[in-house]
Amino acid sequence: QVQLVESGGGVVQPGGSLRLSCVASEFTFSASGMHWVRQAPGKGLEWVAFIRYDGIKKYADSVKGRFTISRDNSDNTLYLQMNSLRSEDTAVYYCARETSISPFDPWGQGTLVTVSS
Amino acid sequence: QSVLTQPPSASGTPGQRVTISCSGSSSNIGRDSVYWYQQLPGTAPKLLIYKNNQRPSGVPDRFSGSKSGTSASLAINGLRSEDESDYYCAAWDASLSGWAFGGGTKLTVL
């Protein structure tokens, strides 16, 4: 069964940095595009970033220049490096696989990032 | 303000039919497929409908999707208590060059 497990969330001060990880299993990670999607407390879903199987990247305007998505195919791991964090980045961050039928399927369980002094 | 517009709430009684709308524009729904996700309380979202009206295996046929022009709808027939959840639509937006989500609709089963 396809599984995605995020980690790396926590509390960080404004202006700080954090790196999230998403370990994938039971599918060919190296051939799959991967997304990060976030959800602020009590709010809706917001797409954050995408990395294609060949390394092509896309970002939401709200994180461009501050966040970097990357992948390590040897470890089946997706990353999100978050710099210059702001209070509005506080959210649960989900990783999700892109397939031929859906951009986001399945989703991981999420990891909470809290930006607060 | 979300690029895709959904009603914040919807409700129905068991057995009823409920529809949730998702309104967009020519840069998203008008030119590309719509996807629907269900997020049960305290859990991650789950794919419900893909490519406007297709159901993944395991999703009951009580759920159906449709699209017309720049709008889409999710219909739930024979409403059940376990359908109480948040529902989100999503589509690629060519103007943003990114994925757009609706603001989400909280469905309450009365």
Side-chain angles (χ1 to χ4, degrees):
Chain A
Q1 182 176 349
V2 172
Q3 192 169 18
L4 299 169
V5 178
E6 301 96 334
S7 62
V11 181
V12 60
Q13 291 189 337
S17 298
L18 210 57
R19 189 177 82 156
L20 306 182
S21 301
C22 167
V23 177
S25 58
E26 302 302 324
F27 68 97
T28 307
F29 178 76
S30 60
S32 299
M34 298 294 297
H35 295 268
W36 285 101
V37 178
R38 68 185 179 183
Q39 186 171 35
K43 303 296 184 183
L45 302 170
E46 180 189 15
W47 173 75
V48 172
F50 167 73
I51 184 166
R52 211 166 66 175
Y53 66 93
D54 57 0
I56 298 293
K57 305 173 186 182
K58 288 187 180 292
Y59 297 94
D61 287 344
S62 58
V63 306
K64 206 171 289 183
R66 300 187 301 124
F67 290 12
T68 302
I69 188 172
S70 63
R71 63 192 301 158
D72 183 343
N73 290 336
S74 65
D75 274 344
N76 287 352
T77 304
L78 175 73
Y79 298 102
L80 185 68
Q81 177 66 43
M82 305 185 294
N83 298 331
S84 303
L85 282 161
R86 307 166 180 166
S87 58
E88 54 263 38
D89 296 318
T90 294
V92 173
Y93 285 74
Y94 297 99
C95 63
R97 182 186 68 164
E98 177 162 295
T99 71
S100 60
I101 71 166
S102 168
F104 314 106
D105 181 47
W107 302 58
Q109 87 288 349
T111 187
L112 175 62
V113 173
T114 302
V115 183
S116 173
S117 54
Chain B
Q1 197 79 346
S2 301
V3 172
L4 305 179
T5 302
Q6 297 179 234
S9 63
S11 63
T13 56
Q16 217 174 16
R17 171 185 167 92
V18 168
T19 62
I20 296 171
S21 62
C22 175
S23 177
S25 69
S26 58
S27 66
N28 42 65
I29 294 177
R31 59 178 290 162
D32 219 326
S33 293
V34 178
Y35 302 81
W36 290 91
Y37 298 87
Q38 177 190 53
Q39 186 176 31
L40 296 168
T43 70
K46 180 190 111 173
L47 177 64
L48 198 62
I49 296 288
Y50 67 96
K51 293 184 181 179
N52 305 321
N53 55 17
Q54 302 298 302
R55 275 187 316 277
S57 60
V59 172
D61 59 7
R62 302 186 295 105
F63 294 90
S64 62
S66 64
K67 184 182 107 167
S68 178
T70 60
S71 293
S73 289
L74 172 71
I76 309 173
N77 289 308
L79 199 61
R80 303 175 69 160
S81 58
E82 57 260 40
D83 298 334
E84 191 159 282
S85 181
D86 292 328
Y87 294 87
Y88 294 91
C89 59
W92 174 261
D93 190 286
S95 297
L96 295 175
S97 194
W99 284 94
F101 284 96
T105 298
K106 184 176 184 61
L107 175 64
T108 301
V109 180
L110 302 170

